[in-house]
């Protein structure tokens, strides 16, 4: 094994708790897989006594293949899996201890949203300030904290919305159980509950997994921490690998204290710091070190590399977002003409909304690209349809799946008929499909015949699922329900020429994925295929062999690396985000997380890093002006090159020496001078004369109330300056701002 001294130290220390602080690009996957190989080959630990937990299927698969390469024949014995997959394996055996059938379904985020939406509507729980998104977030957070509905209400008794949320939570869990289904959070929540309530089950898995290794430990939430604590409590051979500087998922419940306080929970922990980076040039690392050093809540690490100094980080400022996107597209095209593959280039941004202009310019330049974080393949309408059929075949208690397909393709089963069956199911405490099987007791005539035909169809498909593998089942299902004809009918509704071809292509791709599952799985099953589909993440769907540039949020970029990286929108209120800037005074952790996100973005780059900003950016339908991001200023100046200036003697305040066309124009004075307004981009609507003037109080939908400090009539609109009570000074255009006089 080709490891440095510190990596070897981490590999050989096999007994007791171990904390490996692995900086970005420091070879943590190599260390983790080498450690597993060492446990098997040198410490003579049985492979089935080793558990390796990570966060994506892709990472788990890579870990398995590396272990197999190091110790042939051993990878099958080691469980390398995500948290959710590992818990699912346990629950498939013991879910009956919690009142579930072990054949339960897994609800994805769309299913969860649909179920909660129905509950909120049925019990009229929404208010002006309490919307569906908050119900979903509150329930997910409660499960991350291992709180059931009663405990949630007790711990949130001072929240005026707590009773409504607890009611929704209660009904949501009851509905899931009635459908014999669990959502993603339940997989971990229920496994912890299983271990707490049934000591014999916990002891079985403590004996099974005597050596536990957890990757990306900085991203664990409280439920995951408790799961690992319970599993490792007997033998205490727990090795966690992570980097507190890359903890960027607080919004998903990740608790950075899990890694920062590891030595308090395990006072005898052995700590190893991995600081040698094998990915990036030293200049890129110096930029990253300069940024992250401004965080207080961290364990000190300084990345270094022996890959050479490399080029300076490039920083461009453009007049607007259009010019920024044009430059990036042209620069990517230039690199391609120099022989650099598109796949070696990635453009990262803070929010998905920033991708639109980039996509437009990439299409204009003819640049093939892949958008990470767009519509998930498994969330597409036609794929959801087929999967709902498969779920109904596998678990007919899943009411959501049944409701989705009962009229796909159209069968003439009307809403009135469905309502009768729903009421019948509720009054008899049975599933919707069970109610459909009792059609004679609910409806008569043509409606009864149509429902019976549907029930017979599912019965026939269920028989096929025993005879055929899942790939062949899907193919026969499509023929049986005449799904291609159904897609033809949708084409007429959408009036989009390529919709049918795209949808058919997606269905064919699903069949290909099913074939791949069958070929690569020892004991393939319909349940197993549905599990694999349910647990797939966006990053697992990224093409590895296609020569395409990548467009992705900074969150999605974590764990990836590219030779050439662009980070766009380097402006205050964009990156760092507006929310973090507003929260900075009373929640410093919000800004520290934004800085960690910047650190993650910078350390994705191997050879070159380009940062861009715009004087004016259209966000949420209005032109906005922001100062340059503090993260640019935190990079030591000797490692930063301002575009258009000579390397020697350059500074933030120097003007450009030679003008360029507007699309590539960089104004370095932007870094120190206050911003001045420019005309909005072409195509923006003109404003009418506003009903307020300087000194008036106005209200903005996002920034709240403030005072108008300046109002200037320009060629196409009124430029208005407002000092908001909470958000501070902003410059915007009246047509977009839609300010209301108070």
């Amino acid at each position: 094994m080709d490891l440095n001294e510190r990596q070897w130290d981490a590999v050989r220390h096999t007994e007791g708790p171990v904390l490996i602080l692995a900086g970005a690009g420091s070879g943590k996957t190599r260390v983790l897989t080498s450690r597993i190989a060492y446990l098997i080959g040198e410490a003579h630990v049985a492979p089935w006594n080793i558990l390796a937990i990570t966060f994506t299927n892709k990472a788990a698969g890579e870990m398995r293949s590396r272990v197999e390469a190091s110790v042939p024949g051993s990878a099958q014995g080691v469980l390398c899996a995500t948290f959710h997959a590992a818990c699912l394996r346990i629950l498939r055996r013991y879910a009956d201890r919690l009142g579930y059938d072990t054949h339960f379904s897994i609800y994805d985020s769309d299913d969860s949203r649909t179920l909660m939406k129905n509950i909120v509507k049925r019990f009229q729980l929404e208010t002006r300030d309490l919307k569906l998104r908050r119900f979903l977030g509150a329930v997910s957070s409660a499960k991350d904290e291992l709180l059931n509905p009663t405990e949630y209400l007790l711990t949130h008794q001072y929240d005026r919305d707590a009773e409504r949320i607890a009611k929704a939570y209660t009904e949501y869990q009851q509905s899931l159980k009635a459908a014999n289904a669990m959502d993603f959070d339940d997989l971990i929540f229920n496994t912890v509950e299983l271990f707490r309530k049934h000591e014999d089950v916990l002891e079985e898995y403590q004996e099974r997994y005597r050596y536990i290794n957890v990757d990306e430990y900085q991203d664990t939430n409280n439920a995951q921490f408790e799961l690992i604590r319970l599993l490792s409590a007997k033998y205490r051979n727990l090795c966690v690998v992570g980097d507190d500087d890359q903890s960027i998922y607080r919004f998903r419940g990740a608790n950075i204290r899990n890694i920062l306080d590891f030595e308090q929970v395990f006072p005898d922990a052995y700590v190893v710091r991995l600081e040698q980076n094998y990915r990036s040039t030293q200049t890129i690392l110096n930029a990253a070190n300069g940024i992250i050093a401004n965080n207080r809540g961290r364990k000190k690490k300084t990345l270094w590399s022996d890959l050479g100094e490399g080029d300076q980080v490039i920083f461009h400022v453009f007049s607007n977002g259009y010019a920024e996107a044009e430059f990036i597209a042209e620069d990517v095209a230039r690199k391609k003409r120099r022989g650099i593959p598109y796949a070696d280039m990635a453009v990262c941004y803070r929010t998905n909304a920033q991708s639109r202009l980039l996509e437009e310019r990439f299409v204009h330049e003819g640049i093939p690209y892949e958008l990470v974080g767009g519509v998930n393949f498994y969330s597409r309408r036609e794929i959801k349809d087929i999967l709902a059929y498969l779920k109904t075949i596998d678990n007919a208690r899943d009411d959501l799946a049944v409701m989705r397909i009962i009229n796909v393709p159209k069968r003439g089963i009307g809403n009135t008929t469905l309502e009768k069956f729903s009421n019948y199911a509720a009054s008899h405490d049975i599933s919707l499909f069970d109610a459909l099987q009792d059609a004679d007791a609910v409806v008569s005539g043509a409606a009864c015949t149509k429902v019976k035909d549907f029930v017979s169809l599912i019965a026939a498909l269920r028989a096929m699922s025993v005879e055929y593998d899942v790939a062949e089942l899907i193919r026969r299902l499509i023929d049986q329900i005449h799904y291609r004809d159904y897609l033809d009918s949708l084409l007429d509704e959408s009036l989009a020429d390529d919709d049918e071809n795209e949808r058919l292509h997606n269905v064919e791709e699903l069949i290909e994925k099913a074939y791949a599952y069958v070929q690569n799985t020892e004991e393939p099953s319909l349940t197993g295929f549905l599990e694999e589909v349910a647990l797939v993440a966006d990053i697992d769907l990224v093409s590895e062999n296609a020569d395409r540039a990548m467009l992705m949020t900074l969150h999605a970029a974590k764990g990836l690396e590219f030779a050439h990286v662009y980070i766009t929108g380097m402006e205050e209120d964009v990156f760092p985000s507006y929310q973090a800037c507003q929260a900075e005074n009373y929640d410093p952790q919000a800004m520290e997380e934004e800085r960690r996100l910047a650190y993650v973005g910078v350390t994705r780059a191997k050879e070159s890093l380009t940062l861009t900003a715009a004087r004016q950016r259209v966000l949420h339908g209005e032109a906005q002006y922001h100062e340059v991001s503090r993260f640019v200023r935190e990079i030591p100046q000797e490692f930063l090159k301002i575009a258009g200036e000579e390397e020697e003697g350059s500074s933030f305040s120097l003007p450009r020496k030679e003008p360029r066309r507007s699309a590539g124009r960089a104004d370095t004075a932007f870094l120190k001078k206050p911003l001045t307004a420019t005309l909005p981009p072409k195509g923006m609507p003109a404003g009418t004369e506003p009903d307020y003037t300087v000194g008036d109080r106005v209200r903005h939908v996002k920034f709240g109330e403030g005072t108008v400090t300046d109002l200037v009539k320009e060629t196409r609109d009124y430029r208005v300056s407002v000092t908001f009570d909470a958000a501070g000074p902003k410059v915007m255009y009246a047509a977009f701002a839609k300010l209301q006089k108070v």
Side-chain angles (χ1 to χ4, degrees):
M1 288 179 270
D2 185 19
L3 303 173
N4 65 39
E5 183 179 345
R6 298 306 295 157
Q7 290 173 330
W8 263 117
D9 194 22
V11 166
R12 290 172 175 155
H13 203 97
T14 60
E15 304 301 309
V18 177
L19 170 62
I20 303 175
L21 293 169
S26 61
K28 67 179 178 63
T29 303
R30 184 195 311 170
V31 169
L32 204 50
T33 52
S34 297
R35 179 183 172 85
I36 294 170
Y38 185 86
L39 283 168
I40 297 169
E42 302 296 329
H44 306 295
V45 175
W48 52 86
N49 288 146
I50 301 172
L51 172 64
I53 297 288
T54 186
F55 273 80
T56 67
N57 295 312
K58 185 177 180 181
E62 182 181 353
M63 196 177 296
R64 276 192 296 271
S65 62
R66 289 197 187 190
V67 171
E68 181 63 30
S70 299
V71 190
S74 299
Q76 294 301 319
V78 178
L79 177 57
C80 299
T82 64
F83 271 101
H84 293 96
C87 289
L88 179 58
R89 177 179 290 213
I90 295 168
L91 291 170
R92 283 291 181 215
R93 291 187 61 196
Y94 290 109
D96 57 331
R97 299 279 192 103
L98 299 175
Y100 291 84
D101 186 314
T102 54
H103 228 50
F104 60 85
S105 295
I106 304 169
Y107 274 18
D108 63 19
S109 56
D110 288 340
D111 297 329
S112 296
R113 175 177 289 275
T114 300
L115 178 58
M116 183 64 80
K117 184 177 181 180
N118 293 340
I119 290 168
V120 167
K121 182 178 180 180
R122 189 194 327 157
F123 293 97
Q124 298 181 327
L125 295 174
E126 275 193 326
T127 66
R128 188 179 69 175
D129 300 319
L130 183 60
K131 300 299 182 184
L132 178 63
R133 184 175 179 180
R134 185 160 170 227
F135 282 103
L136 289 164
V139 170
S140 181
S141 295
K143 292 181 182 181
D144 287 348
E145 297 294 332
L146 297 172
L147 300 175
N148 62 33
T150 301
E151 292 165 336
Y152 174 84
L153 190 57
L154 286 173
T155 56
H156 293 76
Q157 54 185 307
Y158 298 111
D159 183 345
R160 65 179 182 178
D161 296 322
E163 287 191 13
R164 289 174 177 267
I165 292 172
K167 172 67 174 175
Y169 187 4
T170 300
E171 295 295 334
Y172 178 78
Q173 289 306 113
Q174 289 176 352
S175 298
L176 281 172
K177 204 160 204 177
N180 193 35
M182 299 184 193
D183 65 16
F184 289 145
D185 297 317
D186 283 330
L187 295 178
I188 298 171
F189 182 98
N190 286 340
T191 304
V192 171
E193 184 179 5
L194 177 68
F195 285 164
R196 285 177 171 177
K197 289 183 175 180
H198 301 277
E199 290 186 9
D200 60 319
V201 178
L202 173 59
E203 187 173 354
E204 175 188 340
Y205 284 99
Q206 286 176 336
E207 286 294 332
R208 174 68 184 270
Y209 300 123
R210 300 186 180 194
Y211 291 83
I212 300 172
N213 305 272
V214 184
D215 194 11
E216 304 287 6
Y217 190 67
Q218 77 281 348
D219 293 333
T220 55
N221 60 33
N222 290 349
Q224 291 162 337
F225 167 81
E226 180 64 7
L227 175 74
I228 295 302
R229 189 193 68 79
L230 288 168
L231 276 174
S232 64
K234 184 171 185 178
Y235 290 100
R236 301 184 78 253
N237 297 322
L238 172 63
C239 174
V240 302
V241 185
D243 181 6
D244 51 295
D245 289 335
Q246 296 187 73
S247 180
I248 59 173
Y249 293 116
R250 189 168 73 147
F251 68 97
R252 292 183 187 169
N255 185 355
I256 193 174
R257 301 310 312 179
N258 288 348
I259 191 167
L260 293 179
D261 297 342
F262 187 84
E263 294 157 273
Q264 295 179 28
V265 178
F266 300 95
D268 57 335
Y270 188 75
V271 181
V272 181
R273 281 178 167 79
L274 304 180
E275 298 175 298
Q276 182 176 358
N277 176 285
Y278 292 91
R279 174 190 301 158
S280 308
T281 65
Q282 188 61 51
T283 295
I284 290 172
L285 297 182
N286 288 340
N289 290 333
I291 292 171
I292 202 63
N294 291 278
N295 270 5
R296 294 184 177 182
R298 63 184 294 259
K299 292 178 178 291
K300 187 176 180 181
K301 297 177 293 298
T302 303
L303 296 181
W304 63 274
S305 170
D306 60 6
L307 298 178
E309 289 299 316
D311 296 331
Q312 288 177 294
V313 175
I314 304 296
F315 179 54
H316 286 266
V317 181
F318 301 95
S319 58
N320 54 52
Y322 298 87
E324 178 189 54
E326 184 177 9
F327 164 78
I328 291 172
E330 290 177 352
D331 202 53
V332 167
R334 278 192 292 270
K335 285 184 170 67
K336 176 64 175 177
R337 288 194 293 271
R338 295 196 336 245
I340 298 172
Y342 288 125
D344 283 352
M345 295 178 270
V347 185
C348 303
Y349 33 80
R350 180 62 180 83
T351 63
N352 278 310
Q354 293 170 252
S355 69
R356 184 181 62 83
L357 291 178
L358 291 163
E359 287 190 83
E360 288 178 2
R361 295 310 308 174
F362 274 44
V363 170
H364 183 268
E365 292 286 340
I367 298 172
Y369 68 91
E370 184 159 355
L371 182 67
V372 180
V375 178
N376 186 305
F377 174 79
Y378 293 108
S379 296
R380 297 181 185 277
R381 175 176 178 174
E382 57 277 10
I383 302 303
K384 294 282 283 187
D385 287 345
I386 301 301
L387 292 178
Y389 267 101
L390 296 180
K391 286 181 179 181
T392 303
I393 295 167
D394 191 53
N395 170 28
R397 286 169 58 186
D398 189 342
D399 288 358
L400 281 186
V402 174
M403 286 293 290
R404 182 179 184 94
I405 62 172
I406 196 166
N407 271 313
V408 175
K410 294 176 182 178
R411 297 186 175 89
I413 302 175
N415 291 334
T416 302
T417 300
L418 285 176
E419 187 175 352
K420 288 179 181 179
F421 279 101
S422 294
N423 292 336
Y424 183 84
S427 64
H428 289 74
D429 195 24
I430 58 177
S431 71
L432 177 60
F433 191 79
D434 285 341
L436 294 173
Q437 289 179 303
D438 202 9
D440 287 323
V442 183
V443 293
S444 60
C448 184
T449 302
K450 291 171 183 175
V451 169
K452 284 185 173 181
D453 287 345
F454 174 73
V455 171
S456 298
L457 170 66
I458 297 302
L461 291 170
R462 189 166 290 152
M464 287 184 191
S465 71
V466 177
E467 185 176 355
Y468 302 108
D469 64 46
V470 64
E472 185 60 26
L473 174 63
I474 296 173
R475 194 173 289 284
R476 289 174 178 268
L477 160 65
I478 291 167
D479 291 339
Q480 189 83 11
I481 65 175
H482 306 291
Y483 195 70
R484 290 181 178 83
D485 294 337
Y486 172 66
L487 292 182
D488 280 337
S489 69
L490 293 183
L491 180 63
D492 296 333
E493 295 175 13
S494 67
L495 301 178
D497 292 338
D498 59 348
D499 269 7
E500 182 196 17
N501 288 334
E502 182 181 350
R503 286 173 173 155
L504 279 174
H505 174 75
N506 289 336
V507 171
E508 289 296 328
E509 187 174 342
L510 178 65
I511 296 172
E512 289 176 15
K513 290 181 183 295
Y515 274 125
Y517 163 77
V518 171
Q519 293 167 0
N520 298 322
T521 306
E522 272 191 37
E523 298 180 7
S525 66
L526 175 56
T527 301
F529 177 70
L530 290 172
E531 286 177 6
E532 184 169 290
V533 167
L535 298 179
V536 75
D538 284 346
I539 197 64
D540 296 321
L541 298 172
V542 173
S543 305
E544 294 187 356
N545 300 321
D547 187 22
R548 300 174 182 170
M550 304 299 295
L551 301 181
M552 61 180 68
T553 64
L554 288 154
H555 283 100
K558 186 171 176 293
L560 303 178
E561 59 183 44
F562 302 91
H564 308 278
V565 171
Y566 302 82
I567 304 179
T568 71
M570 297 299 294
E571 304 131 40
E572 292 287 299
D573 285 355
V574 177
F575 188 38
S577 69
Y578 170 79
Q579 290 80 3
C581 291
Q582 296 306 304
E584 186 175 9
N585 292 331
Y586 59 87
D587 183 15
Q589 287 301 313
M591 186 57 69
E592 295 222 341
E593 176 138 336
E594 289 289 297
R595 187 171 283 110
R596 292 194 292 270
L597 189 57
Y599 173 84
V600 166
V602 169
T603 54
R604 298 312 92 196
K606 297 163 69 175
E607 298 175 22
S608 78
L609 174 64
T610 302
L611 309 177
T612 64
R615 287 171 165 270
Q616 175 204 71
R617 190 176 299 278
V618 178
L619 293 173
H620 312 296
E622 65 182 30
Q624 297 183 12
Y625 302 84
H626 306 287
E627 294 181 357
V628 67
S629 170
R630 68 190 69 190
F631 303 144
V632 176
R633 299 176 187 271
E634 289 171 355
I635 297 174
Q637 289 194 26
E638 61 268 31
F639 306 120
L640 189 68
K641 180 178 181 180
I642 313 303
E645 293 189 14
E646 295 179 4
E647 296 183 24
E648 296 298 325
S650 65
S651 73
F652 288 117
S653 58
L654 284 176
R656 289 188 48 82
K657 294 184 178 181
E658 295 180 10
R660 292 175 58 190
R661 62 191 181 85
S662 61
R665 185 164 186 140
D667 185 350
T668 57
F670 173 55
L671 291 159
K672 283 197 169 181
K673 291 183 178 181
L675 292 174
T676 56
T678 59
L679 287 176
K682 292 180 179 179
M684 294 175 65
T688 56
E689 183 175 352
D691 62 353
Y692 47 80
T693 187
V694 174
D696 284 345
R697 295 283 291 173
V698 292
R699 182 183 293 111
H700 185 272
V701 66
K702 175 181 174 183
F703 303 128
E705 292 188 5
T707 303
V708 178
T709 58
D710 193 21
L711 187 64
V712 179
K713 186 179 189 328
E714 295 190 347
T715 306
R716 303 169 63 220
D717 201 354
Y718 284 80
R719 187 182 77 240
V720 56
S721 301
V722 182
T723 299
F724 291 99
D725 299 343
K730 301 288 180 184
V731 180
M732 55 194 73
Y733 281 89
F736 287 120
K738 298 180 181 177
L739 297 169
Q740 293 182 344
K741 187 175 179 180
V742 178

